[in-house]
Amino acid sequence: MGRDGAVEVDAGPPAPFEAPRLLAPVDGASSFMPHPHFSWEEVAEADHYSIQIARDRGFSALEDEDAIAMDRYVHLQPLAPGRYWWRVAAADEQGWRGPWTAPHQLEISAPVQVKGQEDAILPSFFSLGNNFPNKAKDRGLVT
């Protein structure tokens, strides 16, 4: 009871935020870039976001976990080739976190080695927007 006789009630944590909508990379994406750029839609009233990147869908083998104020994130250390899952949650100033997004999968491919250009990183697959003179063959495979 308070001094004036009123009953004090601990309201507990505020109502959770909605989970943000993940924008990129899309679920199931594949990339040769070891520093992927992650982005999601802002959540109204969110103070910051938590992001997790893991080697397993259950997030028991975390590769990275961070709290950031923006709606985008770039992993600083290069990710080794392999399969990863990522998710994001919005949080308020007190640290109360809303629900995690559904996990999105990302595949990091090994870079292609080019003889005499061992330091070059090339994608194993590419698409050409304007492949002249043969528009019918707009895709190619680097071997």
Side-chain angles (χ1 to χ4, degrees):
M1 266 197 194
R3 291 183 193 184
D4 60 0
V7 176
E8 293 180 8
V9 177
D10 180 10
F17 295 105
E18 301 240 346
R21 188 169 75 88
L22 302 181
L23 299 176
V26 297
D27 192 21
S30 181
S31 174
F32 70 95
M33 300 296 292
H35 299 276
H37 294 224
F38 299 93
S39 65
W40 52 90
E41 285 186 353
E42 287 186 19
V43 173
E45 306 300 321
D47 177 68
H48 63 277
Y49 302 91
S50 295
I51 183 169
Q52 290 182 335
I53 303 168
R55 284 293 209 157
D56 66 309
R57 187 176 178 86
F59 291 85
S60 61
L62 287 178
E63 237 359 83
D64 189 18
E65 182 171 30
D66 210 342
I68 48 180
M70 296 182 288
D71 58 353
R72 59 194 170 280
Y73 180 75
V74 177
H75 184 66
L76 295 179
Q77 300 299 318
L79 293 174
R83 185 170 293 152
Y84 296 88
W85 283 263
W86 69 286
R87 63 185 181 179
V88 175
D92 67 13
E93 290 177 352
Q94 287 77 39
W96 294 109
R97 192 181 70 227
W100 289 105
T101 60
H104 276 204
Q105 182 182 324
L106 169 65
E107 185 84 25
I108 302 294
S109 303
V112 174
Q113 295 295 318
V114 177
K115 200 177 235 180
Q117 305 261 337
E118 284 75 15
D119 293 335
I121 297 177
L122 299 173
S124 58
F125 184 80
F126 65 93
S127 178
L128 299 174
N130 287 323
N131 184 13
F132 295 103
N134 188 357
K135 291 277 282 182
K137 294 185 178 182
D138 66 345
R139 294 174 181 253
L141 182 63
V142 177
T143 56

